[in-house]
Amino acid sequence: MKPCAWCNDLKTSTCAETVYWELPDGTRAIEITETPALACSSCGMTYQEESVIGEIENQLFLIDAKKLPQTITYQELMQTERILKRNYFDFS
């Protein structure tokens, strides 16, 4: 178990949730279903870990996001063909 990012309690469990994400160009938001998440039974928060957030944001920069449907699963998003080899906007 990982400690909750909100309350630091160890009562977290993995789950999958639906999230809504704005595309990098700001033209629209998409629904991403079955997204990995952590749920805390102590404080009630459900959230994505920083690594998942980074994966989604990175992938959205590397693909032709204009071709994405309004709703997509996390797995389908991660398997979408990339048009760039790397995210040239990631300076970390």
Side-chain angles (χ1 to χ4, degrees):
M1 279 190 185
K2 296 182 180 186
C4 174
W6 298 92
C7 72
N8 234 14
D9 202 323
L10 290 175
K11 296 180 181 176
T12 60
S13 59
T14 59
C15 62
E17 291 291 320
T18 296
V19 297
Y20 300 89
W21 223 272
E22 185 176 351
L23 297 181
D25 65 4
T27 56
R28 65 186 174 110
I30 60 169
E31 178 182 59
I32 307 170
T33 61
E34 302 172 32
T35 306
L38 283 180
C40 178
S41 62
S42 185
C43 71
M45 289 301 294
T46 301
Y47 60 94
Q48 282 66 49
E49 293 182 275
E50 290 296 323
S51 60
V52 173
I53 292 169
E55 289 171 356
I56 291 171
E57 291 185 350
N58 191 53
Q59 182 70 348
L60 289 174
F61 272 110
L62 299 175
I63 64 175
D64 186 356
K66 289 182 174 86
K67 293 182 180 179
L68 288 175
Q70 186 62 37
T71 301
I72 191 168
T73 68
Y74 174 81
Q75 197 62 35
E76 290 169 336
L77 176 63
M78 292 300 116
Q79 292 174 349
T80 300
E81 181 182 0
R82 293 177 172 187
I83 57 175
L84 296 174
K85 292 183 180 181
R86 64 184 286 267
N87 182 351
Y88 296 98
F89 299 101
D90 184 3
F91 301 109
S92 58

